[in-house]
Amino acid sequence: EPAYMAGVAGASISSPGPYDKNGNTYYNVGSFSGWSKDQIESYLREYNHYILQILNIHEAIPGHYTQLIYSNQSPSIIKAIFGNGAMVEGWAVYTERMMLENGFGNNEPEMWLMYYKWNLRTTCNTILDYGVHVNNLSKEDGLNLLMNEAFQQKAEAEGKWKRVSVTQVQLCSYFTGYSEIYDFRNELMKKEGDKFNLKKFHEKFLSYGSAPVKYIKELMLNEKH
């Protein structure tokens, strides 16, 4: 990734906006420039063979890349430009579990184990963000949460501490959006039973652009009546 973008997230997507719908999308991956061998080894232990597959689901397909393509096709320019962070991140987190539930990784126990570790990170992001900005959580306690309770490598935990130190609220958006989307999908599955179609649900959900989940839910439920 460009040096000026480094220091907050290890990977990200830079997508074209609604006025440049055919522009390139860039998958940004952090550089190891200036890192020690110990830092690099720690980081790569965190982003192992299985975690990288989950990361690709989140950042690319059917995560951020897919969602943002749909967002640009939405008739609402407002929703495309002023996207709701919880919906955007929530969709990417939702797709991680959805893909594994539908056979990605062939149900390998290692893949599921790493998914649960990764999903635990989503939860800890919220705890860390709230802990730091509301309860004055110390760095020592923050790193203990990430490394000893969430099994993260030191390089990942140190990077997250830096991130929570220079941002606020954004780290909460992953769990918030994911929970809303997953619960809404399960609610519809229960209501519709055998009539529920996962592909149609996804296409309909994404058709509203990057709007808050609660409003997408409201619109989808109203259309069914």
Side-chain angles (χ1 to χ4, degrees):
E1 67 187 352
Y4 67 84
M5 292 175 62
V8 178
S12 62
I13 282 283
S14 294
S15 62
Y19 293 109
D20 187 24
K21 295 183 180 183
N22 296 318
N24 292 328
T25 296
Y26 294 93
Y27 188 153
N28 307 305
V29 180
S31 167
F32 287 142
S33 178
W35 287 40
S36 69
K37 287 184 178 181
D38 286 345
Q39 286 176 308
I40 294 171
E41 167 138 357
S42 176
Y43 193 81
L44 293 178
R45 283 187 179 278
E46 183 74 23
Y47 290 90
N48 57 49
H49 172 71
Y50 301 99
I51 292 289
L52 284 177
Q53 293 178 70
I54 299 167
L55 175 66
N56 286 335
I57 291 171
H58 179 106
E59 298 292 350
I61 298 171
H64 284 320
Y65 176 76
T66 303
Q67 187 268 316
L68 292 167
I69 290 293
Y70 271 86
S71 183
N72 272 350
Q73 294 172 355
S74 170
S76 171
I77 293 292
I78 297 296
K79 282 184 284 190
I81 295 176
F82 299 105
N84 178 263
M87 184 275 175
V88 174
E89 293 297 354
W91 170 262
V93 175
Y94 161 76
T95 61
E96 299 159 11
R97 181 165 182 167
M98 180 274 295
M99 287 292 283
L100 265 66
E101 287 175 336
N102 286 279
F104 183 89
N106 299 315
N107 277 317
E108 290 183 5
E110 296 90 346
M111 180 65 81
W112 275 104
L113 178 65
M114 288 297 101
Y115 163 75
Y116 283 120
K117 175 187 170 179
W118 180 270
N119 191 253
L120 181 58
R121 181 192 297 189
T122 297
T123 306
C124 286
N125 280 348
T126 301
I127 296 171
L128 185 68
D129 201 21
Y130 186 86
V132 169
H133 297 292
V134 177
N135 294 333
N136 296 314
L137 185 75
S138 68
K139 181 177 181 179
E140 181 182 2
D141 288 341
L143 293 182
N144 178 65
L145 167 71
L146 300 179
M147 294 172 64
N148 298 323
E149 298 187 57
F151 315 108
Q152 294 179 18
Q153 288 288 317
K154 185 177 181 180
E156 174 64 24
E158 290 277 4
K160 189 58 60 69
W161 180 260
K162 181 177 181 181
R163 181 171 173 180
V164 77
S165 300
V166 298
T167 68
Q168 58 182 355
V169 180
Q170 197 272 337
L171 284 174
C172 297
S173 65
Y174 298 82
F175 180 81
T176 304
Y178 157 72
S179 300
E180 286 187 297
I181 297 169
Y182 197 75
D183 289 349
F184 176 43
R185 187 201 71 178
N186 287 351
E187 179 185 328
L188 283 184
M189 288 176 71
K190 189 175 180 180
K191 280 184 179 179
E192 297 180 9
D194 294 340
K195 294 181 180 179
F196 180 81
N197 183 294
L198 188 63
K199 183 174 185 286
K200 288 182 179 178
F201 167 74
H202 290 155
E203 290 178 339
K204 191 66 179 175
F205 183 86
L206 293 178
S207 71
Y208 295 98
S210 301
V213 178
K214 64 180 179 180
Y215 294 125
I216 295 177
K217 177 180 178 180
E218 185 178 308
L219 289 166
M220 286 181 68
L221 292 175
N222 285 340
E223 282 191 16
K224 291 181 179 297
H225 293 99

